[in-house]
């Protein structure tokens, strides 16, 4: 039979999958899911954020299966998410109630409650640490013991402390407008496809699910000049947020009766953006607006970039692509962009034959005309 | 921790939502119904729209055929068929006549389809106006106003430039005299097969989150001018070097040694069937 490249699909697939497994196993090393969970926090957080499924264990499993490929891991998690029935929506989360582990402001040195550095790479020197090549369990244990001893001398507060939002402080001064809390249920973009112009809840969902790199680069583009938003970070906070759901069958809803179903770690950013507005006398006046970013886990760059893009999309009248919601929202999704780009690897024999025909016919026509 | 996959992968709520979108699509032929496209275990752009339709309509009694670029054995077709089989237990077939659901990328089979069959087409770019208008917001309005001068102008410009229309696969069609639709990137050769099709045709675009349909016995007309009529790809004077078929869409194979082109049926199951019939006839005559 004649040679057709696409024939023999079943056997080829089986062999390819086997080969893939071999590549993962060939060095005879096995990474435990728990090892990923406890030592690759940043990856786990990023996968959860982009797949909008909060499960550190499943994210670690996905990373293991995907051999550390982020796009693959997110893909696995998203596909798994499609098999889960979605039964409840939670109550709106009030981010004031975050159990803060890190909180900084780039706008004010002296914020009520103080700055809390928490764990961050920001102040490390990025020098390869060759000591890590010979880490051992005993040394780790000793280090942990010493660290805990040090902690004992630190006096803990008796009460759980909630930190006020930096912006509240400025609101009192009249620098920011006060808006009514909008607790209308958000449109779930994973249960309904969004239409343009998109609502803010839809925009924020797409941004928070967006691929970290894509969100960062578009945020960066806006900052660099392809946009009109150059913010000051009002507040970055990282910590655990509690989730409550309403009783599904009760008609009376009292906040006291809501069920606490656990908490999740999140990064939240409020950026302050100066904008000029015309006042009643038609004079340009400066005013502050807020750009908002929030995502699962500790992903500070992404959350800040999200806050820039949120603010950009609030001002669609600008000519820059970062202010065009179709441009931004339709192109930052990890699964969608990698999927469509990778589909170019599929055969295109039929469409190419058709294109070839068209070009040949046109060329033939031109030659006939010239003769 | 081990879990079993749900029947047809998606949860029942999702399948119901997708079926509702399909019903709307059937009720308004050619209209792109937005739906909440789920993330699937295959990549966006590899047929997730078609797959979601297939998984939402398929029942245990169905027989499934999947083709990609005309071939049942192509890797993507095998992979999709396998996924549907693993999550539903539905048996696959390569014979077009036997299938009740046919999911296809880029081809409508050569064998005419019947009322008992559903053809599911995978669509990468459902918006026929996309290359004249980038914005989704605007194209949606253009559809609602039956304002397709952009598409006509595109053809007109091709005639001005090249002396003929020069569309490739995915030549836009008017459905039921109302909506202009992208027929999925099927070659122009297959466009006429949609007209008054006995089978229901469902089109799914997963990444673009749209479902649309051509119900049975619906008018589907390829956009063309009276003096520049619609033409299909030409395989004039060519025949399949395996089964001898003419009047089918063919793959062009280049002989690596002589550099000459030979042709062969693109629809592989159609070709194999013809070869089998021929062989059978030969055997019968030789015994007789």
């Amino acid at each position: 039979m004649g040679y057709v490249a696409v024939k023999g699909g079943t056997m080829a697939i089986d062999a390819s999958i086997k080969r893939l497994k071999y590549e993962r196993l060939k060095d005879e090393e096995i990474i435990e899911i728990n090892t990923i969970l406890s030592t690759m926090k940043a990856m786990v957080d990023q996968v959860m954020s982009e797949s909008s499924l909060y499960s550190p264990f499943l994210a670690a499993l996905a990373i293991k299966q995907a051999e550390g490929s982020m796009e693959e891991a997110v893909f696995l998690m998203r596909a798994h998410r499609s098999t889960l029935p979605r039964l409840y929506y939670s109550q709106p989360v009030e981010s004031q109630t975050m159990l803060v582990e890190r909180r900084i402001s780039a706008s004010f040195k002296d914020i009520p409650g103080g700055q809390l550095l928490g764990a961050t790479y920001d102040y490390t020197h990025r020098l390869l640490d060759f000591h890590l090549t010979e880490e051992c369990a005993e040394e780790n244990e000793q280090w942990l013991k010493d660290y805990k001893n040090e902690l004992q001398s630190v006096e803990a507060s008796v009460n759980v402390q909630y930190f006020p939002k930096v912006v509240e402080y400025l609101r009192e001064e009249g620098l920011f407008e006060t808006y009514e809390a909008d607790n209308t249920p958000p449109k779930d973009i994973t249960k309904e496809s969004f239409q343009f112009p998109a609502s803010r809840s839809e925009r924020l969902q797409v941004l928070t699910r967006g691929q970290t790199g894509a969100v960062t680069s578009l945020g960066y583009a806006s900052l660099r000049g392809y946009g009109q938003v150059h913010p000051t970070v009002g507040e970055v906070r990282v910590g655990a947020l509690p989730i409550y759901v309403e009783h599904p069958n009760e008609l009376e809803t009292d906040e006291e009766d809501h069920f606490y179903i656990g908490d999740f770690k999140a990064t939240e950013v409020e950026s302050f953006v100066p904008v000029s507005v015309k006042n009643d006398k038609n004079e340009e006046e400066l005013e502050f607006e807020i750009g908002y970013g929030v995502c699962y886990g500790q992903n500070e760059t992404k959350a800040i970039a999200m806050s820039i893009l949120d603010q950009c999309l609030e001002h669609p009248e600008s000519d820059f692509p970062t202010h065009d919601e179709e441009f931004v929202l339709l192109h930052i999704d990890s699964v969608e962009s990698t999927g469509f780009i990778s589909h170019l690897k599929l055969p295109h024999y039929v469409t190419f034959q058709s294109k070839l025909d068209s070009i040949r016919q046109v060329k033939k026509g031109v030659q006939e005309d010239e003769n | 921790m081990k879990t079993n996959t749900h029947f047809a992968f998606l949860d029942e709520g999702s399948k119901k939502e997708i079926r509702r979108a399909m019903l709307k699509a059937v009720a308004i032929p050619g209209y792109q119904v937005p739906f909440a496209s789920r993330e699937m275990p295959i990549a966006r752009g590899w047929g997730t729209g078609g797959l979601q339709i297939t998984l939402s309509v398929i029942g245990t009694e169905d027989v499934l055929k999947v083709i990609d670029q005309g071939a049942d054995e192509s890797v993507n077709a095998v992979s999709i068929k396998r996924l549907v089989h693993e999550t539903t237990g539905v048996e696959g077939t390569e014979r077009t006549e036997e299938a009740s659901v046919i999911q296809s990328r880029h081809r409508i089979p050569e064998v005419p389809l019947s009322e008992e069959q559903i053809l599911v087409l995978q669509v990468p770019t459902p918006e026929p106006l996309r290359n004249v208008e980038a914005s989704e917001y605007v194209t949606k309005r253009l559809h609602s106003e039956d304002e397709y001068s952009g598409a006509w102008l595109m053809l007109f410009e091709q005639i001005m430039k090249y002396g003929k229309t020069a569309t490739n696969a995915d030549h836009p069609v008017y459905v039921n005299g109302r909506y202009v639709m992208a027929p999925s990137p099927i070659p122009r050769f297959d466009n006429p097969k949609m007209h008054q099709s006995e089978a229901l045709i469902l089109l799914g675009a997963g990444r673009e989150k749209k479902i649309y349909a051509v119900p049975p016995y619906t008018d589907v007309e390829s956009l063309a001018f009276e003096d520049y009529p619609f033409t299909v790809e030409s395989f004039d004077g060519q025949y399949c070097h395996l089964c001898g078929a003419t009047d089918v869409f063919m793959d062009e194979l280049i002989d690596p040694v002589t550099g000459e082109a030979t042709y062969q049926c693109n629809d592989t199951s159609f070709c194999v069937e013809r070869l089998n019939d021929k062989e059978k006839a030969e055997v019968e005559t030789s015994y007789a």
Side-chain angles (χ1 to χ4, degrees), chain A residues 91-334:
Chain A
Q91 292 301 299
V93 173
E94 196 49 72
S95 61
Q96 298 262 30
T97 61
M98 180 186 266
L99 283 170
V100 168
E101 60 181 63
R102 169 165 160 77
R103 171 190 191 238
I104 52 159
S105 171
S107 306
F108 298 101
K109 189 163 66 174
D110 197 16
I111 49 175
Q115 312 241 8
L116 198 68
L117 285 192
T120 174
Y121 281 111
D122 289 350
Y123 312 105
T124 60
H125 296 135
R126 268 66 166 218
L127 301 169
L128 280 177
D129 182 358
F130 292 99
H131 290 113
L132 292 184
T133 56
E134 42 205 46
E135 260 188 326
C136 69
E138 295 82 57
E139 257 178 62
N140 276 4
E141 206 179 310
Q142 186 58 42
W143 192 92
L144 285 172
K145 220 158 100 191
D146 294 347
Y147 184 74
K148 280 177 188 157
N149 281 339
E150 272 176 52
L151 278 186
Q152 273 176 352
S153 57
V154 180
E155 251 177 72
S157 156
V158 188
N159 300 319
V160 176
Q161 198 186 346
Y162 293 112
F163 291 89
K165 287 285 189 74
V166 171
V167 66
E168 293 308 327
Y169 183 57
L170 298 172
R171 277 216 172 97
E172 280 165 26
E173 253 186 75
L175 291 172
F176 282 89
E177 231 175 285
T178 309
Y179 296 96
E180 276 290 303
D182 179 5
N183 282 344
T184 46
K187 280 194 163 177
D188 184 343
I189 57 154
T190 64
K191 304 240 336 170
E192 218 179 303
S193 83
F194 61 97
Q195 306 288 316
F196 296 105
S199 67
R200 185 146 184 268
S201 70
E202 292 168 312
R203 289 206 306 252
L204 290 175
Q205 284 171 74
V206 179
L207 289 171
T208 193
R209 283 158 60 90
Q211 186 171 32
T212 308
V215 174
T216 304
S217 69
L218 289 185
Y220 171 58
S222 164
L223 201 58
R224 242 192 99 250
Y226 288 88
Q228 286 179 336
V229 172
H230 194 120
T232 307
V233 169
E235 187 174 0
V236 175
R237 43 167 75 193
V238 180
L241 283 166
I243 304 274
Y244 294 91
V245 290
E246 222 171 48
H247 193 290
N249 302 326
E250 296 275 342
L251 286 177
E252 300 277 319
T253 54
D254 184 352
E255 230 175 88
E256 291 292 306
D257 294 337
H258 292 167
F259 294 97
Y260 168 74
I261 59 166
D263 58 23
F264 70 100
K265 191 181 192 175
T267 307
E268 189 193 35
V269 170
E270 278 167 348
S271 289
F272 301 158
V273 185
V275 288
S276 61
V277 284
K278 287 220 165 88
N279 66 8
D280 302 342
K281 293 177 207 143
N282 210 21
E283 296 162 337
E284 295 271 321
E285 255 185 7
L286 269 189
E287 219 174 64
F288 278 117
E289 287 185 355
I290 296 185
Y292 186 72
V294 68
C295 58
Y296 281 153
Q298 186 171 3
N299 290 295
E300 295 171 23
T301 314
K302 177 179 175 178
I304 294 169
M306 174 178 168
S307 75
I308 296 172
L309 292 175
D310 170 43
Q311 181 60 27
C312 284
L313 299 182
E314 280 291 301
H315 295 276
E317 64 278 2
S318 162
D319 283 339
F320 294 109
T322 49
H323 289 252
D324 177 339
E325 67 175 3
E326 292 199 23
F327 180 80
V328 174
L329 301 184
L330 291 178
H331 301 135
I332 57 173
D333 191 88
S334 167

Side-chain angles (χ1 to χ4, degrees), chain B residues 2-13:
Chain B
K2 221 170 170 215
T3 58
N4 288 326
T5 314
H6 189 259
F7 177 82
F9 182 76
L10 296 164
D11 68 281
E12 292 304 319

Side-chain angles (χ1 to χ4, degrees), chain A residues 1-14 17 51 57-58 61 75 78-86 188-197 209 326 330 333 335-362 364-366 368-369, chain B residues 1 3 5-6 9-11 14 17 34-46 68-71 73-76 78-79 82 94 105-107 124-125 134-138 140 162 164-169 185-188 206-207 209 232-235 241-242 249-253 263-264 266 268 272 275:
Chain A
M1 214 185 183
Y3 165 78
V4 177
V6 287
K7 271 279 180 187
T10 312
M11 277 160 69
I13 288 181
D14 285 339
I17 291 172
S51 55
F57 178 82
L58 290 183
L61 169 66
F75 192 168
R78 288 264 193 104
H80 179 68
R81 193 179 185 275
S82 291
T83 67
L84 306 172
R86 271 163 275 174
D188 184 343
I189 57 154
T190 64
K191 304 240 336 170
E192 218 179 303
S193 83
F194 61 97
Q195 306 288 316
F196 296 105
R209 283 158 60 90
E326 292 199 23
L330 291 178
D333 191 88
V335 170
E336 264 146 44
S337 54
T338 60
F340 200 49
I341 288 193
S342 71
H343 111 284
L344 297 175
K345 291 186 280 187
L346 285 175
H348 283 80
Y349 313 132
V350 167
T351 34
F352 189 71
Q353 185 74 49
S354 181
K355 207 174 276 181
L356 211 53
D357 173 77
S358 231
I359 290 176
R360 279 175 182 161
Q361 295 299 325
V362 167
K364 220 197 291 176
V366 170
E368 276 163 15
D369 288 349
Chain B
M1 194 164 102
T3 58
T5 314
H6 189 259
F9 182 76
L10 296 164
D11 68 281
S14 296
E17 277 176 41
F35 81 113
S37 178
R38 303 295 198 254
E39 271 103 1
M40 303 304 290
I42 65 167
R44 283 284 199 234
W46 290 56
D68 187 306
Q69 303 275 313
E73 262 286 284
S74 139
V75 282
N76 197 41
V78 172
S79 152
R82 193 179 262 193
E94 298 198 352
R105 173 169 175 261
H106 293 196
R107 275 314 304 281
T125 318
S135 163
E136 177 72 21
Y137 181 64
V138 176
K140 202 161 163 59
Y162 312 121
K164 53 189 63 168
T165 58
T167 48
N168 316 312
I186 54 171
R188 300 193 300 287
R207 192 178 43 80
K209 305 173 178 62
V232 300
E233 287 83 351
S234 119
F235 297 97
H241 75 112
L242 299 172
F249 192 87
M250 286 190 256
D251 288 329
E252 187 175 329
L253 309 172
Y263 289 82
Q264 134 182 352
N266 169 262
T268 50
V272 167
L275 285 172

Side-chain angles (χ1 to χ4, degrees), chain A residues 20-63:
Chain A
L20 184 71
K21 186 163 184 179
Y22 169 73
E23 292 292 338
R24 187 168 71 81
L25 298 179
K26 68 172 190 281
D27 290 337
E28 298 189 28
E29 288 281 350
I30 288 172
I31 190 162
E32 297 296 331
I33 289 168
N34 268 331
T35 313
I36 298 174
L37 251 184
S38 47
T39 62
M40 300 198 180
K41 209 160 50 74
M43 266 178 122
V44 170
D45 281 357
Q46 200 173 317
V47 168
M48 291 194 302
S49 170
E50 289 179 24
S51 55
S52 60
L53 179 60
Y54 195 87
S55 169
F57 178 82
L58 290 183
L61 169 66
I63 291 165

